[in-house]
Coordinates of all heavy atoms in Angstrom, one line a residue:
M50 N 1.7 1.1 -17.1 CA 2.0 1.3 -15.7 C 3.5 1.3 -15.6 O 4.2 0.4 -16.1 CB 1.4 0.1 -14.9 CG 1.7 0.3 -13.4 SD 1.0 -1.0 -12.4 CE -0.8 -0.9 -12.8
D51 N 4.0 2.4 -15.0 CA 5.5 2.5 -14.9 C 6.0 1.7 -13.7 O 5.3 1.2 -12.9 CB 6.0 3.9 -14.8 CG 5.5 4.7 -13.6 OD1 5.1 4.0 -12.6 OD2 5.5 5.9 -13.6
F52 N 7.3 1.6 -13.6 CA 8.0 0.8 -12.5 C 7.5 1.2 -11.1 O 7.2 0.4 -10.3 CB 9.5 0.8 -12.7 CG 10.2 0.0 -11.7 CD1 10.2 -1.4 -11.8 CD2 10.9 0.6 -10.6 CE1 10.8 -2.2 -10.9 CE2 11.6 -0.2 -9.7 CZ 11.5 -1.6 -9.8
E53 N 7.5 2.5 -10.8 CA 7.2 3.0 -9.5 C 5.8 2.6 -9.1 O 5.5 2.3 -8.0 CB 7.4 4.5 -9.4 CG 7.2 5.1 -8.1 CD 8.2 4.7 -7.0 OE1 9.4 4.4 -7.4 OE2 7.9 4.7 -5.8
A54 N 4.9 2.6 -10.1 CA 3.5 2.3 -9.8 C 3.3 0.8 -9.5 O 2.3 0.4 -8.8 CB 2.6 2.6 -11.0
K55 N 4.3 0.0 -9.8 CA 4.2 -1.5 -9.5 C 4.7 -1.8 -8.1 O 4.7 -2.9 -7.7 CB 5.0 -2.3 -10.5 CG 4.4 -2.2 -11.9 CD 5.2 -3.0 -12.9 CE 4.6 -2.9 -14.3 NZ 5.3 -3.7 -15.3
L56 N 5.2 -0.8 -7.4 CA 5.8 -1.0 -6.1 C 4.9 -0.4 -5.0 O 4.4 0.7 -5.1 CB 7.2 -0.3 -6.0 CG 8.2 -0.8 -7.0 CD1 9.5 0.0 -6.8 CD2 8.5 -2.3 -6.9
C57 N 4.8 -1.2 -4.0 CA 4.0 -0.8 -2.8 C 4.7 0.5 -2.2 O 5.9 0.5 -2.1 CB 4.0 -1.9 -1.8 SG 3.2 -1.5 -0.2
P58 N 3.9 1.5 -1.8 CA 4.5 2.7 -1.3 C 5.1 2.5 0.1 O 5.9 3.4 0.5 CB 3.3 3.7 -1.2 CG 2.1 2.8 -1.2 CD 2.4 1.6 -2.0
F59 N 4.9 1.4 0.7 CA 5.4 1.2 2.0 C 6.6 0.2 1.9 O 7.8 0.6 2.2 CB 4.4 0.6 3.0 CG 3.3 1.6 3.3 CD1 2.0 1.5 2.7 CD2 3.5 2.7 4.1 CE1 1.0 2.4 2.9 CE2 2.5 3.6 4.4 CZ 1.3 3.5 3.8
C60 N 6.4 -1.0 1.6 CA 7.5 -2.0 1.6 C 8.4 -1.9 0.3 O 9.5 -2.5 0.3 CB 7.0 -3.4 1.8 SG 6.1 -4.0 0.4
K61 N 7.9 -1.3 -0.7 CA 8.6 -1.1 -2.0 C 8.8 -2.4 -2.8 O 9.6 -2.6 -3.7 CB 10.0 -0.5 -1.8 CG 10.0 0.9 -1.2 CD 9.2 1.9 -2.0 CE 9.2 3.3 -1.4 NZ 8.2 4.1 -1.9
K62 N 8.0 -3.4 -2.4 CA 8.0 -4.7 -3.2 C 6.8 -4.6 -4.2 O 6.0 -3.8 -4.1 CB 7.7 -5.9 -2.2 CG 8.9 -6.1 -1.3 CD 8.6 -7.2 -0.3 CE 9.8 -7.3 0.7 NZ 9.5 -8.3 1.7
D63 N 6.8 -5.6 -5.1 CA 5.8 -5.6 -6.2 C 4.4 -5.7 -5.5 O 4.2 -6.5 -4.7 CB 6.1 -6.9 -7.0 CG 5.1 -7.0 -8.2 OD1 4.2 -6.2 -8.3 OD2 5.4 -7.8 -9.1
N64 N 3.5 -4.8 -5.9 CA 2.2 -4.8 -5.3 C 1.2 -5.7 -6.1 O 0.1 -5.8 -5.7 CB 1.6 -3.3 -5.2 CG 1.6 -2.6 -6.6 OD1 1.5 -3.3 -7.6 ND2 1.6 -1.3 -6.6
N65 N 1.7 -6.3 -7.2 CA 0.9 -7.2 -8.0 C -0.4 -6.6 -8.4 O -1.4 -7.3 -8.5 CB 0.6 -8.5 -7.2 CG 0.2 -9.7 -8.1 OD1 0.6 -9.7 -9.2 ND2 -0.5 -10.6 -7.5
C66 N -0.4 -5.3 -8.8 CA -1.6 -4.6 -9.2 C -1.9 -5.1 -10.6 O -1.1 -5.2 -11.5 CB -1.3 -3.1 -9.3 SG -2.8 -2.2 -9.8
Q67 N -3.2 -5.4 -10.8 CA -3.7 -5.9 -12.1 C -4.8 -5.0 -12.7 O -5.5 -5.4 -13.5 CB -4.3 -7.4 -11.9 CG -3.3 -8.4 -11.3 CD -2.1 -8.6 -12.2 OE1 -2.3 -8.9 -13.4 NE2 -0.9 -8.6 -11.7
V68 N -4.8 -3.8 -12.2 CA -5.9 -2.9 -12.5 C -6.0 -2.6 -14.0 O -7.0 -2.4 -14.6 CB -5.9 -1.6 -11.7 CG1 -4.8 -0.7 -12.2 CG2 -7.3 -1.0 -11.7
L69 N -4.8 -2.7 -14.7 CA -4.8 -2.4 -16.2 C -5.0 -3.6 -17.0 O -5.1 -3.5 -18.2 CB -3.5 -1.7 -16.5 CG -3.2 -0.4 -15.9 CD1 -1.9 0.2 -16.3 CD2 -4.4 0.6 -16.2
K70 N -5.2 -4.8 -16.4 CA -5.5 -6.0 -17.1 C -7.0 -6.2 -17.3 O -7.8 -5.4 -16.8 CB -4.9 -7.2 -16.3 CG -3.5 -7.1 -15.9 CD -2.7 -8.0 -16.7 CE -1.2 -7.8 -16.3 NZ -0.3 -8.6 -16.8
A71 N -7.3 -7.1 -18.1 CA -8.8 -7.3 -18.4 C -9.6 -7.7 -17.2 O -10.7 -7.4 -17.1 CB -8.9 -8.4 -19.5
N72 N -9.0 -8.5 -16.3 CA -9.7 -8.9 -15.1 C -9.6 -7.9 -14.0 O -8.7 -7.1 -14.0 CB -9.1 -10.2 -14.6 CG -9.2 -11.4 -15.6 OD1 -10.2 -11.4 -16.3 ND2 -8.3 -12.2 -15.6
L73 N -10.5 -8.0 -13.1 CA -10.4 -7.1 -11.9 C -9.2 -7.4 -11.0 O -8.9 -8.5 -10.9 CB -11.7 -7.2 -11.0 CG -13.0 -6.5 -11.6 CD1 -14.1 -6.8 -10.6 CD2 -12.8 -5.0 -11.7
C74 N -8.6 -6.4 -10.5 CA -7.5 -6.6 -9.6 C -7.9 -7.1 -8.3 O -9.1 -6.9 -7.8 CB -6.8 -5.2 -9.4 SG -5.3 -5.3 -8.5
W75 N -7.0 -7.8 -7.6 CA -7.3 -8.4 -6.3 C -7.7 -7.3 -5.3 O -8.5 -7.5 -4.4 CB -6.1 -9.1 -5.7 CG -4.9 -8.2 -5.5 CD1 -3.9 -8.0 -6.4 CD2 -4.6 -7.4 -4.4 NE1 -3.0 -7.1 -5.9 CE2 -3.4 -6.7 -4.7 CE3 -5.2 -7.2 -3.2 CZ2 -2.8 -5.8 -3.8 CZ3 -4.6 -6.3 -2.3 CH2 -3.4 -5.6 -2.6
C76 N -7.2 -6.0 -5.5 CA -7.4 -4.9 -4.6 C -8.9 -4.5 -4.6 O -9.3 -3.8 -3.8 CB -6.5 -3.8 -4.8 SG -6.7 -2.9 -6.4
M77 N -9.6 -4.8 -5.7 CA -11.0 -4.5 -5.8 C -11.9 -5.4 -4.9 O -13.1 -5.1 -4.7 CB -11.5 -4.6 -7.2 CG -10.7 -3.8 -8.2 SD -11.0 -2.0 -7.9 CE -10.1 -1.3 -9.2
K78 N -11.3 -6.4 -4.4 CA -12.0 -7.4 -3.6 C -11.6 -7.4 -2.1 O -12.1 -8.2 -1.3 CB -11.7 -8.8 -4.1 CG -12.1 -9.0 -5.6 CD -11.6 -10.3 -6.1 CE -11.8 -10.3 -7.7 NZ -11.0 -11.2 -8.3
I79 N -10.8 -6.4 -1.7 CA -10.3 -6.4 -0.3 C -10.6 -5.0 0.3 O -10.6 -4.0 -0.4 CB -8.8 -6.7 -0.3 CG1 -8.3 -6.9 1.2 CG2 -8.0 -5.7 -1.0 CD1 -6.9 -7.5 1.3
K80 N -11.0 -5.0 1.5 CA -11.2 -3.7 2.2 C -9.9 -3.2 2.7 O -9.1 -3.8 3.5 CB -12.1 -3.9 3.4 CG -12.3 -2.7 4.3 CD -13.1 -1.6 3.7 CE -13.3 -0.5 4.7 NZ -13.1 0.8 4.1
I81 N -9.5 -2.0 2.2 CA -8.3 -1.3 2.7 C -8.7 -0.2 3.7 O -9.5 0.7 3.4 CB -7.6 -0.6 1.5 CG1 -7.3 -1.7 0.4 CG2 -6.3 0.0 1.9 CD1 -6.8 -1.2 -0.9
P82 N -8.2 -0.3 4.9 CA -8.6 0.6 5.9 C -8.3 2.1 5.5 O -7.2 2.4 5.0 CB -7.8 0.2 7.2 CG -7.4 -1.2 6.9 CD -7.3 -1.3 5.4
D83 N -9.3 3.0 5.8 CA -9.1 4.4 5.4 C -7.8 5.0 6.1 O -7.1 5.8 5.5 CB -10.3 5.2 5.8 CG -11.5 4.9 4.9 OD1 -11.3 4.4 3.8 OD2 -12.6 5.1 5.4
E84 N -7.6 4.5 7.3 CA -6.4 5.0 8.0 C -5.1 4.7 7.3 O -4.2 5.5 7.2 CB -6.4 4.5 9.5 CG -5.2 5.0 10.3 CD -5.1 4.5 11.7 OE1 -5.9 3.5 12.0 OE2 -4.3 5.0 12.5
L85 N -5.1 3.5 6.8 CA -3.9 3.0 6.0 C -3.8 3.9 4.7 O -2.7 4.3 4.4 CB -4.0 1.6 5.7 CG -2.8 1.0 4.9 CD1 -1.5 1.2 5.5 CD2 -3.0 -0.5 4.6
K86 N -4.9 4.1 4.0 CA -4.8 4.9 2.8 C -4.3 6.3 3.1 O -3.6 6.9 2.3 CB -6.2 4.9 2.1 CG -6.6 3.6 1.5 CD -7.8 3.7 0.7 CE -9.1 3.6 1.5 NZ -10.3 3.5 0.7
S87 N -4.7 6.8 4.2 CA -4.3 8.2 4.6 C -2.8 8.3 4.9 O -2.3 9.4 4.9 CB -5.1 8.7 5.8 OG -4.7 8.1 7.0
M88 N -2.2 7.2 5.1 CA -0.8 7.1 5.5 C 0.1 7.1 4.2 O 1.3 7.2 4.3 CB -0.5 6.0 6.4 CG -1.1 6.1 7.7 SD -1.1 4.5 8.7 CE 0.5 3.9 8.5
I89 N -0.5 6.9 3.1 CA 0.4 6.8 1.8 C 1.1 8.1 1.6 O 0.5 9.1 1.7 CB -0.5 6.5 0.6 CG1 -1.3 5.1 0.8 CG2 0.3 6.5 -0.7 CD1 -2.3 4.9 -0.3
P90 N 2.4 8.0 1.4 CA 3.2 9.2 1.2 C 2.7 10.0 0.0 O 2.2 9.4 -1.0 CB 4.6 8.7 0.9 CG 4.7 7.3 1.6 CD 3.3 6.8 1.4
K91 N 2.7 11.3 0.1 CA 2.1 12.2 -0.9 C 2.5 11.8 -2.3 O 1.7 11.8 -3.3 CB 2.4 13.6 -0.6 CG 1.7 14.6 -1.4 CD 2.0 16.0 -0.9 CE 1.3 17.0 -1.8 NZ 1.5 18.4 -1.3
K92 N 3.8 11.6 -2.5 CA 4.4 11.3 -3.9 C 3.8 10.0 -4.5 O 3.8 9.8 -5.7 CB 5.9 11.3 -3.9 CG 6.5 10.0 -3.2 CD 8.0 10.0 -3.2 CE 8.4 8.7 -2.6 NZ 9.7 8.3 -3.1
S93 N 3.2 9.1 -3.7 CA 2.7 7.9 -4.2 C 1.2 7.8 -4.2 O 0.6 6.9 -4.8 CB 3.2 6.7 -3.3 OG 4.6 6.6 -3.4
K94 N 0.5 8.8 -3.6 CA -1.0 8.9 -3.6 C -1.5 8.8 -5.0 O -1.1 9.6 -5.8 CB -1.5 10.1 -2.8 CG -1.6 9.9 -1.4 CD -2.5 10.9 -0.8 CE -2.5 11.0 0.7 NZ -2.9 9.8 1.4
M95 N -2.5 7.9 -5.2 CA -3.1 7.8 -6.5 C -2.2 7.4 -7.6 O -2.5 7.5 -8.8 CB -3.9 9.1 -6.9 CG -4.9 9.5 -5.9 SD -6.2 8.3 -5.4 CE -7.1 8.3 -7.0
K96 N -1.0 6.9 -7.3 CA 0.0 6.4 -8.3 C 0.5 5.0 -8.0 O 1.0 4.4 -8.9 CB 1.2 7.4 -8.2 CG 0.8 8.8 -8.6 CD 2.1 9.7 -8.5 CE 1.7 11.1 -8.8 NZ 2.7 12.0 -8.3
S97 N 0.3 4.5 -6.8 CA 0.8 3.2 -6.5 C -0.1 2.5 -5.5 O -0.5 3.1 -4.5 CB 2.2 3.4 -5.8 OG 2.8 2.2 -5.5
C98 N -0.4 1.3 -5.7 CA -1.2 0.5 -4.8 C -0.4 -0.1 -3.6 O 0.7 -0.4 -3.8 CB -1.8 -0.7 -5.6 SG -3.0 -0.2 -6.9
I99 N -1.1 -0.2 -2.5 CA -0.5 -0.9 -1.4 C -0.6 -2.4 -1.6 O -1.6 -2.9 -2.1 CB -1.3 -0.5 -0.1 CG1 -1.4 1.0 0.1 CG2 -0.7 -1.2 1.1 CD1 -2.4 1.4 1.1
C100 N 0.5 -3.1 -1.3 CA 0.4 -4.6 -1.5 C -0.4 -5.3 -0.5 O -0.7 -4.7 0.6 CB 1.8 -5.1 -1.5 SG 2.6 -5.2 0.1
E101 N -0.9 -6.4 -0.8 CA -1.7 -7.2 0.0 C -1.1 -7.5 1.4 O -1.7 -7.5 2.4 CB -2.2 -8.5 -0.7 CG -3.3 -9.2 0.1 CD -3.9 -10.3 -0.8 OE1 -3.3 -10.7 -1.8 OE2 -4.9 -10.9 -0.3
N102 N 0.3 -7.8 1.3 CA 1.0 -8.1 2.6 C 0.9 -6.9 3.5 O 0.7 -7.1 4.8 CB 2.4 -8.5 2.3 CG 2.5 -9.9 1.7 OD1 1.7 -10.7 1.9 ND2 3.6 -10.1 1.0
C103 N 1.2 -5.7 3.0 CA 1.1 -4.5 3.9 C -0.3 -4.3 4.4 O -0.5 -3.9 5.6 CB 1.7 -3.3 3.2 SG 3.5 -3.3 3.1
I104 N -1.3 -4.5 3.6 CA -2.7 -4.3 4.1 C -3.0 -5.3 5.2 O -3.5 -4.9 6.3 CB -3.7 -4.6 2.9 CG1 -3.5 -3.5 1.9 CG2 -5.1 -4.6 3.5 CD1 -4.2 -3.7 0.6
E105 N -2.6 -6.6 5.1 CA -2.8 -7.6 6.1 C -2.0 -7.3 7.3 O -2.5 -7.4 8.5 CB -2.5 -9.0 5.6 CG -3.5 -9.4 4.5 CD -5.0 -9.3 4.9 OE1 -5.3 -9.6 6.1 OE2 -5.8 -8.9 4.1
E106 N -0.8 -6.8 7.2 CA 0.1 -6.5 8.3 C -0.5 -5.3 9.1 O -0.6 -5.3 10.3 CB 1.5 -6.1 7.8 CG 2.5 -5.8 8.9 CD 3.9 -5.5 8.4 OE1 4.2 -5.8 7.2 OE2 4.6 -4.8 9.2
F107 N -1.1 -4.3 8.4 CA -1.7 -3.2 9.1 C -2.9 -3.6 9.8 O -3.2 -3.2 11.0 CB -2.1 -2.1 8.0 CG -2.7 -0.9 8.7 CD1 -2.0 0.1 9.2 CD2 -4.1 -0.8 8.7 CE1 -2.6 1.2 9.8 CE2 -4.7 0.3 9.3 CZ -4.0 1.3 9.9
K108 N -3.8 -4.5 9.2 CA -5.0 -5.0 9.9 C -4.6 -5.8 11.1 O -5.4 -5.7 12.1 CB -5.8 -5.8 8.9 CG -6.5 -5.1 7.8 CD -7.3 -6.0 6.9 CE -8.1 -5.3 5.9 NZ -8.8 -6.3 5.0
K109 N -3.6 -6.6 11.1 CA -3.2 -7.4 12.2 C -2.7 -6.6 13.4 O -3.0 -6.9 14.5 CB -2.1 -8.4 11.7 CG -1.6 -9.3 12.8 CD -0.6 -10.3 12.2 CE -0.1 -11.2 13.3 NZ 1.0 -12.1 12.8
D110 N -1.9 -5.6 13.1 CA -1.3 -4.7 14.2 C -0.9 -3.3 13.6 O 0.2 -3.1 13.2 CB -0.1 -5.4 14.8 CG 0.5 -4.7 16.0 OD1 0.1 -3.5 16.3 OD2 1.3 -5.3 16.7
S111 N -1.9 -2.5 13.6 CA -1.7 -1.1 13.0 C -0.6 -0.3 13.7 O 0.2 0.4 13.0 CB -3.0 -0.3 13.0 OG -3.4 -0.1 14.3
Q112 N -0.5 -0.5 15.0 CA 0.6 0.3 15.7 C 2.0 -0.2 15.3 O 2.9 0.6 15.0 CB 0.4 0.2 17.2 CG 1.3 1.2 17.9 CD 1.1 2.7 17.5 OE1 0.0 3.2 17.4 NE2 2.2 3.3 17.1
S113 N 2.1 -1.5 15.2 CA 3.4 -2.0 14.8 C 3.7 -1.6 13.3 O 4.9 -1.2 13.0 CB 3.4 -3.5 14.8 OG 4.6 -4.1 14.3
F114 N 2.7 -1.6 12.5 CA 2.9 -1.1 11.1 C 3.4 0.3 11.1 O 4.3 0.7 10.3 CB 1.6 -1.3 10.3 CG 1.8 -1.0 8.8 CD1 2.2 -2.0 7.9 CD2 1.5 0.3 8.4 CE1 2.3 -1.7 6.6 CE2 1.7 0.6 7.0 CZ 2.1 -0.4 6.1
K115 N 2.7 1.1 11.8 CA 3.0 2.6 11.9 C 4.5 2.8 12.4 O 5.2 3.6 11.9 CB 2.1 3.3 12.8 CG 0.7 3.4 12.2 CD -0.2 4.1 13.3 CE -1.7 4.0 12.9 NZ -2.6 4.5 13.9
N116 N 4.8 2.0 13.4 CA 6.2 2.1 13.9 C 7.2 1.7 12.8 O 8.3 2.4 12.7 CB 6.4 1.3 15.1 CG 5.6 1.8 16.3 OD1 5.2 2.9 16.4 ND2 5.4 0.9 17.3
K117 N 6.9 0.6 12.1 CA 7.8 0.1 11.1 C 8.0 1.1 10.0 O 9.1 1.2 9.4 CB 7.3 -1.2 10.6 CG 8.1 -1.9 9.5 CD 7.5 -3.2 9.2 CE 8.2 -4.0 8.1 NZ 7.6 -5.3 7.8
Y118 N 7.0 1.8 9.6 CA 7.1 2.7 8.4 C 6.9 4.2 8.8 O 6.6 5.1 8.0 CB 6.0 2.4 7.4 CG 6.2 1.0 6.8 CD1 5.5 -0.1 7.1 CD2 7.3 0.9 5.9 CE1 5.8 -1.3 6.5 CE2 7.6 -0.4 5.3 CZ 6.8 -1.4 5.7 OH 7.1 -2.7 5.1
S119 N 7.3 4.5 10.1 CA 7.2 5.9 10.6 C 8.0 6.8 9.8 O 7.7 8.0 9.6 CB 7.5 6.0 12.1 OG 8.8 5.6 12.3
F120 N 9.2 6.4 9.3 CA 10.0 7.3 8.5 C 9.3 7.7 7.2 O 9.6 8.9 6.8 CB 11.4 6.5 8.1 CG 11.2 5.4 7.1 CD1 11.4 5.6 5.8 CD2 10.8 4.1 7.6 CE1 11.3 4.5 4.9 CE2 10.7 3.1 6.7 CZ 10.9 3.3 5.3
L121 N 8.4 7.0 6.6 CA 7.7 7.4 5.5 C 6.5 8.3 5.9 O 6.2 9.3 5.2 CB 7.1 6.2 4.8 CG 8.0 5.3 4.0 CD1 7.3 4.0 3.5 CD2 8.7 6.0 2.9
I122 N 5.9 7.9 7.0 CA 4.7 8.7 7.4 C 5.1 10.1 7.9 O 4.5 11.1 7.6 CB 4.0 7.9 8.5 CG1 3.5 6.6 8.0 CG2 2.8 8.7 9.1 CD1 3.1 5.6 9.1
D123 N 6.2 10.1 8.6 CA 6.7 11.4 9.1 C 7.2 12.3 8.0 O 7.3 13.5 8.2 CB 7.9 11.2 10.1 CG 7.4 10.5 11.4 OD1 6.2 10.5 11.6 OD2 8.2 9.9 12.1
S124 N 7.6 11.8 6.8 CA 8.1 12.6 5.8 C 7.0 13.1 4.8 O 7.3 13.6 3.8 CB 9.2 11.9 5.0 OG 8.6 10.8 4.3
K125 N 5.8 12.9 5.1 CA 4.7 13.2 4.2 C 4.6 14.7 4.0 O 4.9 15.6 4.6 CB 3.3 12.7 4.8 CG 3.2 11.3 4.6 CD 1.9 10.8 5.3 CE 0.7 11.3 4.6 NZ -0.5 10.8 5.0

């Protein structure tokens, strides 16, 4: 896994992805809203996992999340 793949496509912090490890990753146990997945910038789609903090932030207030990361969403 390269450096970029370890970063959340939104906040750019470590996404703590464990998919290449022997154990299942935390992301296999959490529901990621389809709307959030559709917002991943094209260059990161299928290359970088969304971190748990961003998933929870989106679930808590999706409009606020969209406003916060609109610069990424608008550049898709």
Side-chain angles (χ1 to χ4, degrees):
M50 184 179 298
D51 65 17
F52 182 72
E53 185 68 25
K55 293 180 182 181
L56 300 179
C57 174
F59 296 104
C60 69
K61 303 297 184 198
K62 294 180 182 171
D63 186 349
N64 58 24
N65 199 25
C66 183
Q67 303 295 315
V68 77
L69 298 179
K70 305 255 178 173
N72 297 326
L73 284 178
C74 184
W75 63 267
C76 69
M77 303 291 182
K78 301 171 191 160
I79 190 171
K80 171 71 175 137
I81 303 170
D83 290 336
E84 183 180 10
L85 178 58
K86 289 190 275 188
S87 73
M88 293 166 45
I89 298 172
K91 188 176 183 176
K92 70 177 186 158
S93 297
K94 273 198 192 295
M95 304 303 291
K96 296 177 186 163
S97 178
C98 294
I99 304 167
C100 73
E101 192 169 9
N102 287 335
C103 282
I104 294 167
E105 293 305 322
E106 185 179 339
F107 180 85
K108 286 179 176 180
K109 184 177 176 184
D110 187 347
S111 63
Q112 191 56 53
S113 176
F114 185 89
K115 290 175 192 177
N116 292 340
K117 183 176 180 178
Y118 293 106
S119 63
F120 68 97
L121 289 173
I122 299 163
D123 294 341
S124 66
K125 284 175 66 173

